Amino acid sequence: MNGVQKKNLSDLTSEMENAEKTKKAEEQVDQKNSTEPTSEHGKMNTPNKEDHHKRDKQSQEEIKANQESENHKNSEETKFDEQSSEVSKQDIHKRTYFIQNEILIPDENESIEYKRYNYPFSEDLEFTLKRTICSFLNKKGGRIYIGVQDRDKKVVGLKLTSKDRDTIRNDVPKLINEFYPKISHEELLRVDFVPVRDENNKPIPRLVVVKIIVKQGDRDKLYSVTTRFLQCFMRMDGSSKPLDAEETTSILKKRWSQAGGEDRVNPKEFNDPRPKQVIDESSEKSFPGRAKW
């Protein structure tokens, strides 16, 4: 091989090496450019303070919007709970427990009577219960709540042992034994014991409100508290009003002419829910708050 050939071979080898280096360098640049953001003009798009500020502002607005949405949702749920609670407080017949010292919303009316009695009940108080039961039978039925102050509707309750509750269950039906016409307490009378809780919603042992549920009587009749003579009562303006002979005759004539009258109440209206269980202090056991209907 002469000198010219050696020189040409050396130049060719050098050119090939330079071309290989250039190719590798271009590939590295392409790879770098593909991983870094660029602007529409092809230049490197490096983040600046203005970009960071925009992103932070956008993020804050999204967080605020999400928070407002969540607050609105919670507000609606709270409003619904308050409305449900208000409905429950209004319809005390559906209450399964009471809170000590709470003030009940409904006033005494033609179907609600509040009594603050101590146990055992005196003869005078028993006659008051007879009179109230009779007035409910003769009108539209109703409920007696013993353990609620009638002057301010405050729940105070009665402390009753398990034995006391059993005695009341047996004694209350006996109040209507002398009623005329004869009636069955299983059909028209029921006794429940609604537990009373403290302000922290914790059950207070043995503290209850005695609830006597009286269904509407036969609309073709007027009931008297005794069989010896007619002594009828009618529920009017939140109290039990005695009826004289003329009123008794007038009401009976009207009912007979109207086949019982128009003020009939569906018996299902008196199917109140079962109360919460009563906690007995001595054994810490639970006892049903409801007697059989």
Side-chain angles (χ1 to χ4, degrees), residues 179-195:
F179 276 32
Y180 178 82
K182 290 290 185 180
I183 59 175
S184 169
H185 69 269
E186 288 89 354
E187 295 178 1
L188 297 175
L189 206 64
R190 193 182 90 194
V191 180
D192 282 356
F193 299 96
V194 186

Side-chain angles (χ1 to χ4, degrees), residues 88-251:
S88 176
K89 289 180 180 179
Q90 287 282 0
D91 192 355
I92 64 171
H93 306 327
K94 295 182 179 180
R95 295 282 298 271
T96 57
Y97 67 90
F98 293 109
I99 301 298
Q100 189 177 35
N101 297 324
E102 75 168 299
I103 305 300
L104 300 180
I105 294 177
D107 295 325
E108 288 186 324
N109 53 42
E110 68 175 13
S111 62
I112 295 177
E113 176 80 6
Y114 299 132
K115 293 296 181 185
R116 176 66 176 98
Y117 292 165
N118 293 318
Y119 187 77
F121 304 147
S122 67
E123 289 186 4
D124 290 341
L125 296 181
E126 287 183 353
F127 181 75
T128 300
L129 287 177
K130 281 185 179 182
R131 184 175 60 189
T132 306
I133 292 171
C134 181
S135 69
F136 283 154
L137 286 170
N138 286 329
K139 191 68 180 221
K140 295 183 179 180
R143 283 89 168 169
I144 306 170
Y145 293 90
I146 305 175
V148 179
Q149 297 179 162
D150 52 1
R151 57 185 174 83
D152 59 6
K153 304 177 293 183
K154 180 188 289 187
V155 175
V156 291
L158 285 79
K159 277 279 189 177
L160 299 175
T161 65
S162 176
K163 183 178 180 180
D164 292 336
R165 298 192 293 273
D166 288 339
T167 301
I168 292 174
R169 280 195 182 100
N170 293 325
D171 286 350
V172 169
K174 294 177 182 178
L175 296 175
I176 63 175
N177 281 349
E178 293 187 1
F179 276 32
Y180 178 82
K182 290 290 185 180
I183 59 175
S184 169
H185 69 269
E186 288 89 354
E187 295 178 1
L188 297 175
L189 206 64
R190 193 182 90 194
V191 180
D192 282 356
F193 299 96
V194 186
V196 178
R197 300 182 176 186
D198 62 21
E199 295 179 354
N200 297 318
N201 205 26
K202 182 179 179 181
I204 302 175
R206 299 188 302 161
L207 193 64
V208 300
V209 168
V210 181
K211 177 181 177 182
I212 302 175
I213 305 173
V214 185
K215 288 185 179 180
Q216 185 182 48
D218 191 332
R219 298 300 291 162
D220 293 327
K221 302 174 182 177
L222 270 181
Y223 296 88
S224 168
V225 297
T226 178
T227 58
R228 294 189 299 272
F229 54 89
L230 284 181
Q231 191 174 10
C232 304
F233 295 86
M234 180 74 73
R235 194 70 178 173
M236 297 181 181
D237 300 324
S239 63
S240 302
K241 182 180 181 298
L243 301 178
D244 57 29
E246 183 178 352
E247 289 172 322
T248 301
T249 303
S250 175
I251 292 173

Side-chain angles (χ1 to χ4, degrees), residues 231-281:
Q231 191 174 10
C232 304
F233 295 86
M234 180 74 73
R235 194 70 178 173
M236 297 181 181
D237 300 324
S239 63
S240 302
K241 182 180 181 298
L243 301 178
D244 57 29
E246 183 178 352
E247 289 172 322
T248 301
T249 303
S250 175
I251 292 173
L252 283 175
K253 284 183 177 180
K254 182 179 179 180
R255 290 187 176 181
W256 291 339
S257 66
Q258 296 178 352
E262 300 177 355
D263 297 329
R264 295 183 182 275
V265 178
N266 189 333
K268 293 182 179 180
E269 293 293 326
F270 301 96
N271 293 341
D272 295 357
R274 180 185 180 90
K276 297 290 185 181
Q277 291 185 320
V278 179
I279 303 299
D280 186 81
E281 191 171 37

Side-chain angles (χ1 to χ4, degrees), residues 10-52:
S10 176
D11 292 341
L12 181 60
T13 302
S14 178
E15 288 176 2
M16 291 176 64
E17 290 177 350
N18 290 337
E20 186 67 24
K21 290 180 180 180
T22 301
K23 183 178 179 181
K24 289 182 178 180
E26 289 175 350
E27 288 176 353
Q28 291 176 354
V29 171
D30 292 338
Q31 184 177 6
K32 182 178 181 181
N33 290 338
S34 65
T35 58
E36 293 181 352
T38 59
S39 67
E40 60 181 343
H41 300 292
K43 295 182 179 180
M44 191 84 63
N45 197 7
T46 57
N48 53 42
K49 291 183 179 181
E50 184 177 354
D51 293 332
H52 282 299

